[in-house]
């Protein structure tokens, strides 16, 4: 193509298995990984730490444009995210950070401020881009566009398991499944109905409903598409 590094975009709502799939693809191909949701989470966290209202569009966009963030791979491949010199890898994964991220992500100036930062991840040998608008807005010329969906109830169950496993509940009490389902519905509605880069598959995206599929099956589906252009071995489940 045009001398740019190749990109595979993986879009869809939270809890569909994008993160796991993207990490697997990045490892198989030896490509870089862009977790675009982390940039929105970091913007929200940085704004909250400066006591800015999350709907103050110009100020939050200024924060987004000037984010002082570092992504470093630690031992056994664990990614450390450093914001203003402080480790925030756990803080940004919390449910409150996700909700705050969804609010700032609805602001067009914030999205514009993060656009070039995301495109800068496109480097050889290639990029796996994880998000909501990777195939529609950030990398519309991507070589392969994947879009994952799953029933909201199943996504809430997966998210609930993740939060319990990683001990990311906001307080000692576990977040209830019903509360998570309500939060997911609110966040979906905001992400789908916003005017700036709403969550929607690109016209040329390959779409997969992962509700009843294992991670191995999702990886194999993606690999079948990717193998048409790049070499990927058959997925082996550990
Ligand atoms: O994927 P995630 O849960 O880390 O994303 C957090 C929020 O950021 C999500 O509610 C929507 C928003 N987001 C976005 O609007 N565009 C992206 N490319 C990635 C995330």
């Amino acid at each position: 193509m045009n001398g740019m590094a190749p990109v595979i975009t993986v879009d869809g709502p939270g809890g569909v298995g994008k993160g796991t799939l993207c990490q697997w693809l990045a490892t198989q191909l030896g490509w870089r990984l862009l977790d675009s949701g982390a940039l929105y989470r970091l913007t929200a966290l940085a704004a909250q730490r400066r006591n800015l209202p999350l709907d103050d569009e110009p100020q939050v966009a200024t924060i987004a444009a000037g984010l002082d963030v570092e992504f470093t791979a630690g031992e056994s491949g664990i990614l450390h995210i450093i914001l203003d010199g402080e480790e925030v890898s756990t803080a940004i994964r919390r449910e409150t950070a996700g909700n705050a991220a969804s609010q700032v992500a609805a602001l067009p100036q914030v999205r514009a401020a993060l656009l070039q930062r995301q495109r800068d991840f496109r480097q050889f040998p290639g990029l796996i881009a994880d998000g909501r608008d990777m195939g529609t807005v950030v990398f519309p010329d991507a070589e392969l566009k994947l879009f994952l969906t799953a029933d909201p109830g199943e996504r809430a169950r997966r998210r609930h398991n993740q939060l319990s496993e990683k001990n990311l509940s906001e307080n000692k009490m576990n977040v209830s499944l019903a509360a998570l389902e309500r939060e997911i519905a609110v966040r979906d509605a905001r992400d789908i109905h916003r005017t700036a880069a709403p969550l929607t598959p690109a016209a040329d995206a390959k779409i997969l409903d992962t509700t009843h599929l294992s991670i191995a099956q999702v990886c194999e589906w993606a690999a079948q598409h990717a193998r048409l252009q790049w070499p990927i071995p058959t997925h082996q489940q550990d």
Side-chain angles (χ1 to χ4, degrees):
M1 56 161 309
N2 51 12
M4 305 275 279
V7 184
I8 299 177
T9 59
V10 183
D11 289 306
V16 288
K18 280 178 300 161
T20 314
L21 171 62
C22 286
Q23 267 171 10
W24 184 78
L25 282 172
T27 307
Q28 294 299 312
L29 288 161
W31 291 7
R32 295 187 83 193
L33 177 62
L34 165 62
D35 174 1
S36 61
L39 294 175
Y40 290 96
R41 288 169 181 264
L42 286 161
T43 300
L45 191 67
Q48 285 175 321
R49 289 186 169 180
R50 288 170 179 76
N51 291 320
L52 283 178
L54 293 179
D55 59 356
D56 185 336
E57 184 164 3
Q59 294 245 53
V60 179
T62 303
I63 299 264
L67 271 186
D68 173 11
V69 61
E70 221 182 293
F71 296 89
T72 52
E75 275 172 37
S76 60
I78 290 175
L79 187 69
H80 294 285
I81 304 179
I82 317 290
L83 176 67
D84 295 324
E86 189 194 328
E87 167 98 45
V88 293
S89 317
T90 306
I92 64 159
R93 290 294 146 217
R94 293 186 197 283
E95 213 44 28
T96 44
N99 279 324
S102 170
Q103 291 177 54
V104 301
L107 307 173
Q109 288 179 32
V110 171
R111 304 199 72 85
L114 291 176
L115 192 57
Q116 193 53 48
R117 194 186 279 264
Q118 295 174 80
R119 288 185 174 154
D120 289 344
F121 278 78
R122 186 176 195 168
Q123 290 172 19
F124 286 98
L127 178 68
I128 309 295
D130 171 343
R132 305 290 190 288
D133 62 340
M134 298 294 99
T136 49
V137 174
V138 182
F139 303 109
D141 60 340
E143 279 74 5
L144 176 61
K145 299 178 184 179
L146 306 176
F147 192 96
L148 305 185
T149 64
D151 290 349
E154 174 60 20
R155 288 160 45 213
R157 261 191 300 282
R158 291 179 190 171
R159 185 72 191 133
H160 191 253
N161 288 346
Q162 258 179 7
L163 288 173
S164 329
E165 268 168 31
K166 295 189 184 156
N167 218 2
L168 286 177
S169 302
E170 311 300 329
N171 47 37
K172 295 274 184 261
M173 303 261 297
N174 276 338
V175 183
S176 82
L177 192 56
L180 261 183
E181 279 183 29
R182 280 193 298 275
E183 277 178 24
I184 283 179
V186 170
R187 213 194 297 179
D188 277 2
R190 197 187 292 125
D191 293 346
I192 291 168
H193 297 300
R194 69 184 178 215
T195 45
L199 171 62
T200 183
D204 50 349
K206 317 281 181 215
I207 302 175
L208 181 70
D209 181 344
T210 70
T211 307
H212 303 293
L213 299 182
S214 67
I215 287 168
Q217 288 171 315
V218 175
C219 290
E220 189 45 36
W221 169 82
Q224 275 171 15
H225 288 293
R227 269 191 212 110
L228 300 175
Q229 302 181 62
W230 308 282
I232 297 186
T234 307
H235 185 241
Q236 302 289 327
Q237 200 165 20
D238 300 327

